[in-house]
Amino acid sequence: MADSEAKTGAVPARVDYGRDAVPDWIREVIETGLAIEREDARSTGSLGFMTRALVSASMPYKDPKTKFFERQNGDLTLTMLSPKGVPYGKYPRLLLSWLITEAVTTRSPVVTLGDTLAEFLRATIGVEATGGKRGTATRVSEQMERLFKSLISVDRRDQPDARSFSFENITLVRGGTIDQEDMRRLDSLDAIENTGDVAGQHLWRAADRTSEQGRWNSQVELTPQFFRECIETPVPLDLRAYRALSPSPMAMDIYSWCTYRMSYIKRPTRPIPWPILQAQFGSGFPFTEQGTRDFKKAFKRNLDIVRLTYPDLRVDETSDRGGLILMPSKPHIPKLSRGSAEQKRLF
């Protein structure tokens, strides 16, 4: 594996599924794609959400070992500042999808850490959590603290050198209380009885569990700005796909970005230059000719894996016009009919 790839969390090699042994997580991605074809996200309780800003420009893949991080997407620049260090990798992405989905589902800025989070973590990191300094429980707790204490700034400029610009500083969480006993229960994931195949269960809120939230003492309150972002511009995701892709955070970002873009484009886009995509997705790849070539290879490999969960995705990454072309595709999450009961409840 090239050093630049090792720093990014990118998939190390294109796999010939007809000849090579299929890695376990790729096998799970394939099985997830087949499950999605059989039953959609809403009917399985796997409908989740992200916000447009966090889909357009997301977090680093590996620990940048800094308290400051910046990512750019066209005229949008997203910067993150966290006193505990910038959140990175799959866990803050999964935690954000849980946090935003809770806000959209409950229509409340106060989110209780409870059985929905415990169940989601069980399905995400497996039935058994591992302890120790690098165990899954420790990493989830660390990334939760980094994420909840982050300050995010979104800067939009019409032109890179324009003197006029608009910006918004968004703190994710206004405040909260994290109870020691609750964290112990989340760390051990013993809040929910193990009933077998967690991956096959609903990943989200079950009606008969909402009454149990009161036995949890931990909660966080989203800031008004971030709560408004959650409920006014939610991007629907299939959490089964998002979870299955989590061994590669780049694949998670490509999936959420493509899901968002395919929800509204009506004609092929102009070629998106690879250096522009590198600024959006390629943290860890140097901005050199070789770095851009390495990023392009990594992006294409991850795009192949995303297609396993989203086979209707139409993207031309082989164009000789110098960039990636997005083609109109069937949305991965079917749109709700206007005026439907669920649309009124969620939006």
Side-chain angles (χ1 to χ4, degrees), residues 185-306:
R185 294 164 66 194
L186 284 176
D187 285 348
S188 62
L189 298 184
D190 61 1
I192 296 177
E193 180 182 0
N194 177 15
T195 56
D197 180 16
V198 175
Q201 299 172 14
H202 285 195
L203 294 183
W204 214 249
R205 177 180 300 278
D208 60 350
R209 287 193 177 155
T210 56
S211 62
E212 299 179 12
Q213 295 294 319
R215 62 192 180 97
W216 291 79
N217 298 315
S218 299
Q219 65 180 26
V220 293
E221 181 180 358
L222 308 184
T223 60
Q225 300 97 320
F226 185 60
F227 178 63
R228 185 173 65 249
E229 180 88 4
C230 291
I231 64 175
E232 290 183 356
T233 60
V235 176
L237 305 174
D238 191 316
L239 292 175
R240 293 169 297 177
Y242 203 57
R243 167 192 174 274
L245 294 169
S246 64
S248 174
M250 183 186 284
M252 298 173 77
D253 289 349
I254 293 173
Y255 166 74
S256 58
W257 179 66
C258 287
T259 299
Y260 167 52
R261 294 296 303 271
M262 296 309 172
S263 69
Y264 67 85
I265 65 171
K266 304 298 183 184
R267 58 180 63 88
T269 65
R270 294 178 179 176
I272 306 171
W274 289 106
I276 297 296
L277 289 169
Q278 183 180 354
Q280 179 181 352
F281 293 100
S283 62
F285 288 98
F287 285 93
T288 62
E289 289 187 10
Q290 184 60 48
T292 299
R293 284 194 292 269
D294 290 340
F295 163 75
K296 184 177 178 180
K297 292 176 183 177
F299 187 96
K300 289 183 175 182
R301 286 193 293 269
N302 281 276
L303 180 61
D304 284 343
I305 294 172
V306 169

Side-chain angles (χ1 to χ4, degrees), residues 97-108 111-112 116 204-205 213:
S97 68
W98 168 79
L99 193 69
I100 295 166
T101 302
E102 281 290 284
V104 173
T105 303
T106 65
R107 310 294 288 182
S108 171
V111 179
T112 300
T116 52
W204 214 249
R205 177 180 300 278
Q213 295 294 319

Side-chain angles (χ1 to χ4, degrees), residues 23-74:
D24 290 342
W25 79 274
I26 296 293
R27 191 182 305 278
E28 182 178 352
V29 170
I30 295 171
E31 292 173 352
T32 298
L34 294 174
I36 290 172
E37 288 185 2
R38 291 192 298 268
E39 200 168 9
D40 65 32
R42 289 188 178 87
S43 61
T44 61
S46 302
L47 178 64
F49 297 93
M50 288 290 282
T51 66
R52 292 181 185 178
L54 293 173
V55 163
S56 299
S58 60
M59 295 167 285
Y61 303 135
K62 292 291 186 179
D63 189 355
K65 300 188 184 303
T66 178
K67 298 178 180 180
F68 174 83
F69 176 77
E70 181 177 280
R71 180 160 283 179
Q72 190 168 1
N73 178 8

